[in-house]
Amino acid sequence: MINKTILPPDRCVMKMDHHCPWINNCCGHQNHAYFTSFLFLAPMGCSHAAIIFIMTMYTQLYERISFGWSTVKIDMSAARRVQPLVPFSVPAFAATLFALGLALGTTIAVGMLFFIQMKVILRNKTSIEAWIEEKAKDRIQYYQTGEEFIFPYDLGGRWKNFKQVFTWSGTPSGDGVQWTVHPKCHQHTLTVDRATETENRQEGEKCKYHMQVQYRAVEDYNGACCPLTKGLHTFFRTPCTEEPRIPLSKGDTILATRGTKWWMYGDKVLDEEQMNAGERIRGWFPRRCVEKCHYDTATASDNTSEKKVN
């Protein structure tokens, strides 16, 4: 697992996932389960509050609680005779409506974070390790080495991976140094892969940030953050980042540097006039809108220039 040094407070966090400003702390080996539980309980509490707000407004506006799917109606007159209700003025209604919006917004936002955390936990990886795995697979694809990258900490079952973080005792599995790994891997598989990438960088070869795989646009894309016309997966799995989206027209050439299963990130190839003006257009675009060029002219031009130098 990846241990990360954070400055400040200049300390090493075992199995670091990310730094969370909500709790003003790092999420790692010792508190990953507690942080994920917080992400689960917060939407549950907000959902409960939202139900109370909705029933309160409904009761005050319509004098009774009515369920549309049945004829059951709860008359509140008896409750009013025993105990008077709190006056529900216009400011109170506005405040309740505002609180309902906050509760629903928090439920959706934190619920998405909980889904993301559970997704990586069931694969027994952290956000940093997912980034390293993505880089390793891109390097293998670019150099066409034919090797198979196996994530070392995925034990082959979601329940086994789940138990690495959540235990009945509350203490996470492992000591933070030695971990249970895949039979085909060892404790330092990711370290070796990182060393290989560093060596490639020192030798001046193309690494993650310099690899450019050429793609050609086969569909138009208007640059929308969540395009409805590009499929449900593309719509719901849009990258959660402030990086821009770039519009594409059929026939455009893009030099992609990274990507996910449904989206890719890269630079659009500009004409000579735009390049002389110093323009640069880069960002995310749907993977389904492009296809990989069978003949990578970007790589070919580099090889040609190297031959001329030699």
Side-chain angles (χ1 to χ4, degrees), residues 288-303:
R288 62 171 291 175
C289 294
V290 298
E291 66 177 5
K292 186 176 181 181
C293 296
H294 297 291
Y295 180 72
D296 192 349
T297 56
T299 306
S301 61
D302 291 340
N303 293 338

Side-chain angles (χ1 to χ4, degrees), residues 8 23 33 35 62 72 74 94 97 99 116 129 136 168 180 184 203 208 231 242 244 267 276 294:
I23 60 176
F35 176 76
Y62 294 97
V72 178
I74 303 177
L97 189 63
I116 294 173
E129 290 165 350
W168 289 110
T180 305
K184 296 183 179 180
E203 292 175 358
K208 168 71 178 179
E242 296 181 354
D267 291 80
N276 293 334
H294 297 291

